[in-house]
Amino acid sequence: MHKPRLQLQASFDIAHLQYLDNQGKAIQSLPEFATPDWLTHCYRQMQLARLVDDRAVKLQRTGRLGTYPSTLGQEAIGIATGNALAADDVYCPYYRETGALLERGVTIEEILAIWGGDERGQNFQHSPSDLPICIPIATQMLHAVGAAFALKQRHQQEGVPLQAAVASSGEGATSKGDFYEAMNLAGVWKLPVVFVVNNNQWAISVPRHGQTATQTIAQKAVAAGIPALQVDGNDVVAVAWAVQDALQRARNGDGPALIEAISYRLCDHTTADDASRYRSAEALQQAWQWEPIKRLDRYLREQGLWSDAKQQDLDRELATTMEMALGNWQTRTPEPVTAIFDHLYAQLPEGLYEQYDQLRDEQQQGAGA
């Protein structure tokens, strides 16, 4: 068979970034921002995220919360992303973002309210520029593109400094059409948006190799003309550097970026899942050896920045913080049943007036009985 001579039109490379190896040893000099105070702050926040996760799962098991998606084993991604964002940036999170929300100033009470069915939890008091968490897969990426378009328009029309938007997702979201549409628009319009993808190896029960034939998730950005980087998602320093760098370039007008953070989901997909049905115990046990908190703990101790005594103090502090938050959450005044309308529409459609009034009247009658 005749073989024609072909001319190469394009090629690409995907780089991988790591500062702390699986054993918590620095394999290159840490960036300037990774000071002892910064490192211990991230360690504290990751521990807090894990504690909130643990308590939320227990509350769900006892019927006090709805379905909850744990971030166990993925805390470095959320903490590093939340830390890198500026106060006036727009964050468009997916559902597995307890760490990022805590770092953005969202309270534990608000997080528990979200998963307890209280929509007031999504009305973030300390990060009002952020969007509510998104349950449908990948739709938050389009929301981030819309926000980034608005930010760019305001910068061009009003001369204000350019802000950026960040969308987070799992790697399963990159198999959705919403992802490709968002990437295409971001690339064409050169928008100030960063996509942070948590590649935790599982989309519910489907392993990564069952979702996509690509060698990396990061390379999916290439088709959209967007720079991409793969980082060790269990290395909080690497994730923070990557997100900070991408955000700075976005704010400078250099357009979007995609970051693939490699991690492993040590938990079930949600509390409605049983991962033991499809995941081997051996793989899970191996992944526990390089999880992010243990890795940073090893580094801090090697540098003389952490000790058993400091850990005990931190455990007591976080336990107190958690108990106070639980008390505040448990004593919240319940919302009226009409809240299901109030938090859904800025202006209630006329066709729902009758339903709204009926629901309100029934509650009032029940209260008076």
Side-chain angles (χ1 to χ4, degrees), residues 6 10 15 24 55 64 74-76 159 172 179 185-186 244 265 297 306-307 311 318 323 332-333 343-344 346 348:
L6 306 176
R55 188 57 61 90
R64 298 169 67 189
Q74 303 143 89
E75 295 89 354
F179 166 78
L185 288 174
Q244 287 183 25
R265 200 190 75 210
D297 179 89
W306 205 248
S307 64
Q311 184 63 52
L318 297 184
E323 291 306 312
R332 289 169 72 100
T333 302
H343 293 284
L344 187 59
L348 188 67

PDB file of all heavy atoms in Angstrom, residues 6 10 15 24 55 64 74-76 159 172 179 185-186 244 265 297 306-307 311 318 323 332-333 343-344 346 348:
ATOM      1  N   LEU A   6       4.062  12.742   4.818  1.00  0.00           N
ATOM      2  CA  LEU A   6       3.244  13.628   5.643  1.00  0.00           C
ATOM      3  C   LEU A   6       4.087  14.739   6.247  1.00  0.00           C
ATOM      4  O   LEU A   6       5.282  14.540   6.515  1.00  0.00           O
ATOM      5  CB  LEU A   6       2.567  12.840   6.771  1.00  0.00           C
ATOM      6  CG  LEU A   6       1.742  11.631   6.339  1.00  0.00           C
ATOM      7  CD1 LEU A   6       1.216  10.896   7.565  1.00  0.00           C
ATOM      8  CD2 LEU A   6       0.600  12.052   5.431  1.00  0.00           C
ATOM      9  N   ALA A  10       1.473  20.048  13.914  1.00  0.00           N
ATOM     10  CA  ALA A  10       1.426  20.458  15.317  1.00  0.00           C
ATOM     11  C   ALA A  10       1.884  19.304  16.202  1.00  0.00           C
ATOM     12  O   ALA A  10       1.773  18.136  15.835  1.00  0.00           O
ATOM     13  CB  ALA A  10       0.010  20.883  15.705  1.00  0.00           C
ATOM     14  N   ALA A  15       3.907  18.852  30.693  1.00  0.00           N
ATOM     15  CA  ALA A  15       4.884  18.809  31.780  1.00  0.00           C
ATOM     16  C   ALA A  15       4.209  18.409  33.082  1.00  0.00           C
ATOM     17  O   ALA A  15       2.997  18.610  33.262  1.00  0.00           O
ATOM     18  CB  ALA A  15       5.563  20.172  31.929  1.00  0.00           C
ATOM     19  N   GLY A  24       7.551  12.956  51.198  1.00  0.00           N
ATOM     20  CA  GLY A  24       7.603  14.270  51.823  1.00  0.00           C
ATOM     21  C   GLY A  24       8.957  14.935  51.749  1.00  0.00           C
ATOM     22  O   GLY A  24       9.225  15.885  52.500  1.00  0.00           O
ATOM     23  N   ARG A  55     -16.800  14.411  60.259  1.00  0.00           N
ATOM     24  CA  ARG A  55     -18.009  14.695  61.012  1.00  0.00           C
ATOM     25  C   ARG A  55     -19.234  14.724  60.089  1.00  0.00           C
ATOM     26  O   ARG A  55     -20.315  14.256  60.475  1.00  0.00           O
ATOM     27  CB  ARG A  55     -17.862  16.018  61.757  1.00  0.00           C
ATOM     28  CG  ARG A  55     -19.003  16.295  62.730  1.00  0.00           C
ATOM     29  CD  ARG A  55     -19.162  15.180  63.761  1.00  0.00           C
ATOM     30  NE  ARG A  55     -17.975  15.015  64.563  1.00  0.00           N
ATOM     31  CZ  ARG A  55     -17.751  15.662  65.713  1.00  0.00           C
ATOM     32  NH1 ARG A  55     -18.660  16.518  66.175  1.00  0.00           N
ATOM     33  NH2 ARG A  55     -16.650  15.435  66.380  1.00  0.00           N
ATOM     34  N   ARG A  64     -28.796  13.040  59.777  1.00  0.00           N
ATOM     35  CA  ARG A  64     -28.892  14.478  60.037  1.00  0.00           C
ATOM     36  C   ARG A  64     -28.397  15.327  58.869  1.00  0.00           C
ATOM     37  O   ARG A  64     -28.597  16.538  58.848  1.00  0.00           O
ATOM     38  CB  ARG A  64     -28.117  14.812  61.311  1.00  0.00           C
ATOM     39  CG  ARG A  64     -28.691  14.100  62.527  1.00  0.00           C
ATOM     40  CD  ARG A  64     -27.796  14.208  63.728  1.00  0.00           C
ATOM     41  NE  ARG A  64     -27.702  15.579  64.222  1.00  0.00           N
ATOM     42  CZ  ARG A  64     -26.843  15.950  65.164  1.00  0.00           C
ATOM     43  NH1 ARG A  64     -26.004  15.072  65.697  1.00  0.00           N
ATOM     44  NH2 ARG A  64     -26.821  17.204  65.566  1.00  0.00           N
ATOM     45  N   GLN A  74      -7.822  14.230  49.084  1.00  0.00           N
ATOM     46  CA  GLN A  74      -7.718  15.245  48.033  1.00  0.00           C
ATOM     47  C   GLN A  74      -7.654  16.661  48.606  1.00  0.00           C
ATOM     48  O   GLN A  74      -7.900  17.645  47.901  1.00  0.00           O
ATOM     49  CB  GLN A  74      -8.929  15.116  47.105  1.00  0.00           C
ATOM     50  CG  GLN A  74      -9.063  13.729  46.489  1.00  0.00           C
ATOM     51  CD  GLN A  74     -10.500  13.273  46.368  1.00  0.00           C
ATOM     52  OE1 GLN A  74     -11.139  13.542  45.351  1.00  0.00           O
ATOM     53  NE2 GLN A  74     -11.026  12.607  47.384  1.00  0.00           N
ATOM     54  N   GLU A  75      -7.333  16.756  49.883  1.00  0.00           N
ATOM     55  CA  GLU A  75      -7.386  18.045  50.582  1.00  0.00           C
ATOM     56  C   GLU A  75      -6.406  19.074  50.028  1.00  0.00           C
ATOM     57  O   GLU A  75      -6.688  20.272  50.051  1.00  0.00           O
ATOM     58  CB  GLU A  75      -7.115  17.837  52.068  1.00  0.00           C
ATOM     59  CG  GLU A  75      -8.149  17.022  52.806  1.00  0.00           C
ATOM     60  CD  GLU A  75      -7.886  15.537  52.787  1.00  0.00           C
ATOM     61  OE1 GLU A  75      -6.942  15.100  52.088  1.00  0.00           O
ATOM     62  OE2 GLU A  75      -8.624  14.787  53.469  1.00  0.00           O
ATOM     63  N   ALA A  76      -5.260  18.637  49.530  1.00  0.00           N
ATOM     64  CA  ALA A  76      -4.250  19.591  49.056  1.00  0.00           C
ATOM     65  C   ALA A  76      -4.750  20.398  47.866  1.00  0.00           C
ATOM     66  O   ALA A  76      -4.419  21.585  47.725  1.00  0.00           O
ATOM     67  CB  ALA A  76      -2.961  18.854  48.677  1.00  0.00           C
ATOM     68  N   GLY A 159     -12.125  49.901  32.620  1.00  0.00           N
ATOM     69  CA  GLY A 159     -10.738  50.125  32.985  1.00  0.00           C
ATOM     70  C   GLY A 159     -10.341  49.601  34.351  1.00  0.00           C
ATOM     71  O   GLY A 159      -9.271  49.947  34.860  1.00  0.00           O
ATOM     72  N   GLY A 172     -13.777  13.131  35.677  1.00  0.00           N
ATOM     73  CA  GLY A 172     -14.936  12.627  34.952  1.00  0.00           C
ATOM     74  C   GLY A 172     -15.676  13.726  34.211  1.00  0.00           C
ATOM     75  O   GLY A 172     -16.294  13.475  33.165  1.00  0.00           O
ATOM     76  N   PHE A 179     -17.729  20.547  29.272  1.00  0.00           N
ATOM     77  CA  PHE A 179     -16.296  20.807  29.434  1.00  0.00           C
ATOM     78  C   PHE A 179     -15.702  21.295  28.124  1.00  0.00           C
ATOM     79  O   PHE A 179     -14.991  22.311  28.084  1.00  0.00           O
ATOM     80  CB  PHE A 179     -15.586  19.537  29.900  1.00  0.00           C
ATOM     81  CG  PHE A 179     -14.089  19.590  29.781  1.00  0.00           C
ATOM     82  CD1 PHE A 179     -13.326  20.281  30.710  1.00  0.00           C
ATOM     83  CD2 PHE A 179     -13.440  18.943  28.743  1.00  0.00           C
ATOM     84  CE1 PHE A 179     -11.935  20.330  30.600  1.00  0.00           C
ATOM     85  CE2 PHE A 179     -12.058  18.988  28.622  1.00  0.00           C
ATOM     86  CZ  PHE A 179     -11.306  19.683  29.552  1.00  0.00           C
ATOM     87  N   LEU A 185     -14.742  28.012  24.150  1.00  0.00           N
ATOM     88  CA  LEU A 185     -15.043  29.436  24.295  1.00  0.00           C
ATOM     89  C   LEU A 185     -13.904  30.165  25.007  1.00  0.00           C
ATOM     90  O   LEU A 185     -13.527  31.273  24.610  1.00  0.00           O
ATOM     91  CB  LEU A 185     -16.347  29.618  25.071  1.00  0.00           C
ATOM     92  CG  LEU A 185     -17.630  29.253  24.338  1.00  0.00           C
ATOM     93  CD1 LEU A 185     -18.820  29.333  25.279  1.00  0.00           C
ATOM     94  CD2 LEU A 185     -17.841  30.164  23.132  1.00  0.00           C
ATOM     95  N   ALA A 186     -13.365  29.554  26.060  1.00  0.00           N
ATOM     96  CA  ALA A 186     -12.274  30.192  26.800  1.00  0.00           C
ATOM     97  C   ALA A 186     -11.061  30.410  25.914  1.00  0.00           C
ATOM     98  O   ALA A 186     -10.393  31.453  25.993  1.00  0.00           O
ATOM     99  CB  ALA A 186     -11.899  29.335  28.010  1.00  0.00           C
ATOM    100  N   GLN A 244      -1.495  29.656  41.247  1.00  0.00           N
ATOM    101  CA  GLN A 244      -1.044  31.045  41.337  1.00  0.00           C
ATOM    102  C   GLN A 244      -0.500  31.535  40.009  1.00  0.00           C
ATOM    103  O   GLN A 244      -0.818  32.651  39.552  1.00  0.00           O
ATOM    104  CB  GLN A 244       0.028  31.183  42.420  1.00  0.00           C
ATOM    105  CG  GLN A 244      -0.481  31.086  43.840  1.00  0.00           C
ATOM    106  CD  GLN A 244       0.622  31.306  44.859  1.00  0.00           C
ATOM    107  OE1 GLN A 244       1.622  31.955  44.567  1.00  0.00           O
ATOM    108  NE2 GLN A 244       0.444  30.770  46.054  1.00  0.00           N
ATOM    109  N   ARG A 265      -8.928   9.148  45.227  1.00  0.00           N
ATOM    110  CA  ARG A 265     -10.101   9.283  46.078  1.00  0.00           C
ATOM    111  C   ARG A 265     -10.084   8.163  47.130  1.00  0.00           C
ATOM    112  O   ARG A 265     -10.432   7.027  46.848  1.00  0.00           O
ATOM    113  CB  ARG A 265     -11.361   9.182  45.218  1.00  0.00           C
ATOM    114  CG  ARG A 265     -12.613   9.760  45.867  1.00  0.00           C
ATOM    115  CD  ARG A 265     -13.839   9.408  45.052  1.00  0.00           C
ATOM    116  NE  ARG A 265     -14.214   8.015  45.231  1.00  0.00           N
ATOM    117  CZ  ARG A 265     -14.818   7.269  44.310  1.00  0.00           C
ATOM    118  NH1 ARG A 265     -15.087   7.772  43.121  1.00  0.00           N
ATOM    119  NH2 ARG A 265     -15.140   6.013  44.563  1.00  0.00           N
ATOM    120  N   ASP A 297       3.185  16.437  56.542  1.00  0.00           N
ATOM    121  CA  ASP A 297       3.613  16.193  57.917  1.00  0.00           C
ATOM    122  C   ASP A 297       5.064  15.736  57.957  1.00  0.00           C
ATOM    123  O   ASP A 297       5.871  16.212  58.775  1.00  0.00           O
ATOM    124  CB  ASP A 297       2.706  15.139  58.556  1.00  0.00           C
ATOM    125  CG  ASP A 297       3.102  14.811  59.986  1.00  0.00           C
ATOM    126  OD1 ASP A 297       2.613  15.486  60.912  1.00  0.00           O
ATOM    127  OD2 ASP A 297       3.917  13.885  60.188  1.00  0.00           O
ATOM    128  N   TRP A 306       7.422  20.886  62.883  1.00  0.00           N
ATOM    129  CA  TRP A 306       6.267  20.210  63.472  1.00  0.00           C
ATOM    130  C   TRP A 306       6.739  19.167  64.471  1.00  0.00           C
ATOM    131  O   TRP A 306       7.874  18.689  64.408  1.00  0.00           O
ATOM    132  CB  TRP A 306       5.409  19.570  62.392  1.00  0.00           C
ATOM    133  CG  TRP A 306       3.979  19.400  62.810  1.00  0.00           C
ATOM    134  CD1 TRP A 306       3.315  18.250  63.053  1.00  0.00           C
ATOM    135  CD2 TRP A 306       3.043  20.455  63.061  1.00  0.00           C
ATOM    136  NE1 TRP A 306       2.018  18.499  63.434  1.00  0.00           N
ATOM    137  CE2 TRP A 306       1.822  19.856  63.437  1.00  0.00           C
ATOM    138  CE3 TRP A 306       3.117  21.850  62.993  1.00  0.00           C
ATOM    139  CZ2 TRP A 306       0.688  20.601  63.765  1.00  0.00           C
ATOM    140  CZ3 TRP A 306       1.993  22.590  63.304  1.00  0.00           C
ATOM    141  CH2 TRP A 306       0.787  21.970  63.688  1.00  0.00           C
ATOM    142  N   SER A 307       5.839  18.842  65.406  1.00  0.00           N
ATOM    143  CA  SER A 307       6.179  17.882  66.454  1.00  0.00           C
ATOM    144  C   SER A 307       4.902  17.252  66.982  1.00  0.00           C
ATOM    145  O   SER A 307       3.790  17.709  66.688  1.00  0.00           O
ATOM    146  CB  SER A 307       6.920  18.577  67.597  1.00  0.00           C
ATOM    147  OG  SER A 307       6.076  19.529  68.227  1.00  0.00           O
ATOM    148  N   GLN A 311       1.104  18.837  67.219  1.00  0.00           N
ATOM    149  CA  GLN A 311      -0.033  18.113  66.665  1.00  0.00           C
ATOM    150  C   GLN A 311      -1.146  17.972  67.702  1.00  0.00           C
ATOM    151  O   GLN A 311      -2.334  18.125  67.395  1.00  0.00           O
ATOM    152  CB  GLN A 311       0.398  16.728  66.180  1.00  0.00           C
ATOM    153  CG  GLN A 311      -0.705  15.945  65.497  1.00  0.00           C
ATOM    154  CD  GLN A 311      -1.195  16.612  64.222  1.00  0.00           C
ATOM    155  OE1 GLN A 311      -0.408  16.955  63.350  1.00  0.00           O
ATOM    156  NE2 GLN A 311      -2.508  16.819  64.125  1.00  0.00           N
ATOM    157  N   LEU A 318      -8.735  22.251  66.724  1.00  0.00           N
ATOM    158  CA  LEU A 318      -9.690  21.920  65.677  1.00  0.00           C
ATOM    159  C   LEU A 318     -10.939  21.254  66.243  1.00  0.00           C
ATOM    160  O   LEU A 318     -12.057  21.483  65.750  1.00  0.00           O
ATOM    161  CB  LEU A 318      -9.035  21.017  64.624  1.00  0.00           C
ATOM    162  CG  LEU A 318      -7.868  21.629  63.844  1.00  0.00           C
ATOM    163  CD1 LEU A 318      -7.390  20.666  62.778  1.00  0.00           C
ATOM    164  CD2 LEU A 318      -8.241  22.972  63.232  1.00  0.00           C
ATOM    165  N   GLU A 323     -16.712  21.687  67.285  1.00  0.00           N
ATOM    166  CA  GLU A 323     -17.843  21.624  68.212  1.00  0.00           C
ATOM    167  C   GLU A 323     -18.616  22.942  68.231  1.00  0.00           C
ATOM    168  O   GLU A 323     -19.843  22.949  68.294  1.00  0.00           O
ATOM    169  CB  GLU A 323     -17.356  21.258  69.617  1.00  0.00           C
ATOM    170  CG  GLU A 323     -16.854  19.837  69.747  1.00  0.00           C
ATOM    171  CD  GLU A 323     -17.864  18.807  69.263  1.00  0.00           C
ATOM    172  OE1 GLU A 323     -19.052  18.903  69.651  1.00  0.00           O
ATOM    173  OE2 GLU A 323     -17.477  17.921  68.476  1.00  0.00           O
ATOM    174  N   ARG A 332     -29.527  26.872  64.299  1.00  0.00           N
ATOM    175  CA  ARG A 332     -30.051  27.758  63.254  1.00  0.00           C
ATOM    176  C   ARG A 332     -31.576  27.671  63.221  1.00  0.00           C
ATOM    177  O   ARG A 332     -32.155  26.585  63.317  1.00  0.00           O
ATOM    178  CB  ARG A 332     -29.495  27.374  61.880  1.00  0.00           C
ATOM    179  CG  ARG A 332     -28.026  27.682  61.695  1.00  0.00           C
ATOM    180  CD  ARG A 332     -27.495  27.037  60.431  1.00  0.00           C
ATOM    181  NE  ARG A 332     -27.989  27.692  59.239  1.00  0.00           N
ATOM    182  CZ  ARG A 332     -27.313  28.584  58.514  1.00  0.00           C
ATOM    183  NH1 ARG A 332     -26.106  28.949  58.904  1.00  0.00           N
ATOM    184  NH2 ARG A 332     -27.813  29.100  57.429  1.00  0.00           N
ATOM    185  N   THR A 333     -32.222  28.803  63.050  1.00  0.00           N
ATOM    186  CA  THR A 333     -33.674  28.812  62.900  1.00  0.00           C
ATOM    187  C   THR A 333     -34.042  28.195  61.557  1.00  0.00           C
ATOM    188  O   THR A 333     -33.499  28.599  60.522  1.00  0.00           O
ATOM    189  CB  THR A 333     -34.210  30.253  62.958  1.00  0.00           C
ATOM    190  OG1 THR A 333     -33.816  30.846  64.189  1.00  0.00           O
ATOM    191  CG2 THR A 333     -35.720  30.256  62.824  1.00  0.00           C
ATOM    192  N   HIS A 343     -34.974  30.683  47.046  1.00  0.00           N
ATOM    193  CA  HIS A 343     -33.571  30.562  46.665  1.00  0.00           C
ATOM    194  C   HIS A 343     -33.377  30.112  45.222  1.00  0.00           C
ATOM    195  O   HIS A 343     -32.243  29.999  44.758  1.00  0.00           O
ATOM    196  CB  HIS A 343     -32.855  29.580  47.601  1.00  0.00           C
ATOM    197  CG  HIS A 343     -32.739  30.073  49.004  1.00  0.00           C
ATOM    198  ND1 HIS A 343     -31.828  31.046  49.374  1.00  0.00           N
ATOM    199  CD2 HIS A 343     -33.403  29.743  50.135  1.00  0.00           C
ATOM    200  CE1 HIS A 343     -31.941  31.293  50.664  1.00  0.00           C
ATOM    201  NE2 HIS A 343     -32.885  30.512  51.152  1.00  0.00           N
ATOM    202  N   LEU A 344     -34.480  29.844  44.536  1.00  0.00           N
ATOM    203  CA  LEU A 344     -34.375  29.360  43.157  1.00  0.00           C
ATOM    204  C   LEU A 344     -34.568  30.470  42.136  1.00  0.00           C
ATOM    205  O   LEU A 344     -33.958  30.456  41.074  1.00  0.00           O
ATOM    206  CB  LEU A 344     -35.401  28.249  42.927  1.00  0.00           C
ATOM    207  CG  LEU A 344     -35.322  27.501  41.595  1.00  0.00           C
ATOM    208  CD1 LEU A 344     -33.964  26.845  41.417  1.00  0.00           C
ATOM    209  CD2 LEU A 344     -36.431  26.450  41.508  1.00  0.00           C
ATOM    210  N   ALA A 346     -34.881  34.735  41.251  1.00  0.00           N
ATOM    211  CA  ALA A 346     -34.759  36.134  41.651  1.00  0.00           C
ATOM    212  C   ALA A 346     -36.140  36.779  41.640  1.00  0.00           C
ATOM    213  O   ALA A 346     -36.469  37.597  42.503  1.00  0.00           O
ATOM    214  CB  ALA A 346     -33.815  36.871  40.698  1.00  0.00           C
ATOM    215  N   LEU A 348     -40.118  35.370  41.214  1.00  0.00           N
ATOM    216  CA  LEU A 348     -40.952  34.178  41.103  1.00  0.00           C
ATOM    217  C   LEU A 348     -41.817  34.254  39.848  1.00  0.00           C
ATOM    218  O   LEU A 348     -42.543  35.226  39.639  1.00  0.00           O
ATOM    219  CB  LEU A 348     -41.837  34.053  42.343  1.00  0.00           C
ATOM    220  CG  LEU A 348     -42.640  32.757  42.472  1.00  0.00           C
ATOM    221  CD1 LEU A 348     -41.697  31.581  42.698  1.00  0.00           C
ATOM    222  CD2 LEU A 348     -43.641  32.862  43.619  1.00  0.00           C
TER     223      LEU A 348
END
